[in-house]
Amino acid sequence: GAGVSQSPSNKVTEKGKDVELRCDPISGHTALYWYRQSLGQGLEFLIYFQGNSAPDKSGLPSDRFSAERTGGSVSTLTIQRTQQEDSAVYLCASSLTVGDQPQHFGDGTRLSIL
Amino acid sequence: EDKVVQSPLSLVVHEGDTVTLNCSYEVTNFRSLLWYKQEKKAPTFLFMLTSSGIEKKSGRLSSILDKKELSSILNITATQTGDSAIYLCAGIIQGAQKLVFGQGTRLTINP
C-alpha cells in the first residue's frame, strides 16, 4: 500500500478483555516495528520483525503482550487481559530493511481501557 | 540505560517567531539521531543526522548534531500556525534497530 495502515483507528474495551491491533506495512518493507505512546509521552519501543528472523521482543512490557507477523507482511499485536495502564496509542512503523531509516509510521490505534 | 531528553516540553510562541528545540542523548553505541513532527496522528520524518556539525535544512527548518555535547537542535524560523505539533527526537543505537525516543516538545504557534 501507499502508507502504513493500522486498524482499528480507535478501540474501547473493558478491563480484562483481549484486544488485537493490526498493522499492514508499506509494500516491500521487510522490517516492521510496534511502539506505544502514552498520553503526553514519547514513543516506547515494543517489538520489531525483520523478514523471517526471530523478532526482537525486548520492549514488550509484560507477557500479556504478544505479536505475530504472518507471511512477512501484516502484523497483529495482541494484548491479553487488558489493564487500564494499557490505554495508549499503539503505533506501527515499517522500513525497507532493519536498520534502514527513516521508519514510516501509521496513524496508530488509540486504545482505551474502561 | 539509553535515554533521550528533550527540552522544553512545551513552548508557546507567536507566528513569525523563531524557535529552537533541544534534544540530548545518552545512547550507547550511538549511530544517528532523527527528528519527527507529529501533528494529529502519524509522526512524519524531518531529518536524520549522523555527522557532527553538518546542518541539514528543509525550508524554514534546520537541524544540527553535536556529538561532543551529545545533543542536537531543531530550529524553525518565521514560524507559522501549521508548525504547531509535537516534535520528537529519537536516537538509533548502532547494531540495534529500535529507536529510543524523547518525550517530545509540544510547540504551539499562536496567530
Side-chain angles (χ1 to χ4, degrees):
Chain A
V4 177
S5 176
Q6 292 189 245
S7 61
S9 53
N10 283 284
K11 176 75 177 175
V12 181
T13 193
E14 292 178 348
K15 179 181 164 182
K17 301 279 190 192
D18 296 353
V19 294
E20 277 191 0
L21 313 179
R22 177 189 164 105
C23 172
D24 198 347
I26 293 172
S27 179
H29 280 194
T30 63
L32 184 149
Y33 311 78
W34 283 99
Y35 294 87
R36 176 169 72 174
Q37 187 174 30
S38 301
L39 190 63
Q41 301 295 313
L43 278 67
E44 172 192 6
F45 167 79
L46 298 176
I47 186 170
Y48 82 76
F49 298 86
Q50 167 59 48
N52 296 322
S53 303
D56 178 344
K57 304 180 182 180
S58 59
L60 294 179
S62 78
D63 59 9
R64 295 186 296 105
F65 287 71
S66 63
E68 285 187 342
R69 188 178 185 195
T70 50
S73 182
V74 172
S75 176
T76 314
L77 177 70
T78 302
I79 310 173
Q80 295 179 306
R81 305 181 302 283
T82 51
Q83 304 291 315
Q84 285 186 329
E85 62 262 28
D86 299 334
S87 296
V89 176
Y90 289 81
L91 288 157
C92 176
S94 71
S95 62
L96 271 174
T97 63
V98 152
D100 182 60
Q101 301 294 341
Q103 296 173 15
H104 300 269
F105 284 85
D107 282 343
T109 293
R110 182 175 295 279
L111 177 63
S112 301
I113 310 299
L114 302 179
Chain B
E1 183 188 338
D2 297 312
K3 193 167 59 173
V4 174
V5 176
Q6 293 186 244
S7 65
L9 294 181
S10 180
L11 183 59
V12 181
V13 300
H14 290 294
E15 207 168 17
D17 287 351
T18 293
V19 297
T20 298
L21 310 183
N22 301 286
C23 175
S24 64
Y25 60 90
E26 292 175 26
V27 171
T28 52
N29 299 318
F30 174 83
R31 178 183 144 198
S32 301
L33 188 138
L34 286 86
W35 284 95
Y36 283 86
K37 177 183 181 182
Q38 186 178 28
E39 294 180 79
K40 291 201 163 55
K41 296 187 176 181
T44 53
F45 170 75
L46 294 175
F47 298 110
M48 183 167 78
L49 305 160
T50 303
S51 300
S52 199
I54 298 174
E55 185 183 56
K56 293 217 172 174
K57 273 184 80 75
S58 176
R60 296 175 294 102
L61 278 68
S62 64
S63 185
I64 195 162
L65 178 67
D66 185 338
K67 284 187 175 179
K68 191 174 172 189
E69 297 296 327
L70 306 183
S71 66
S72 174
I73 59 170
L74 175 69
N75 279 319
I76 310 175
T77 59
T79 51
Q80 302 171 357
T81 54
D83 296 326
S84 295
I86 297 172
Y87 289 83
L88 296 163
C89 162
I92 307 170
I93 303 164
Q94 184 85 304
Q97 313 313 329
K98 60 189 180 185
L99 299 179
V100 179
F101 279 88
Q103 324 92 299
T105 293
R106 182 179 292 275
L107 177 64
T108 303
I109 310 297
N110 288 328

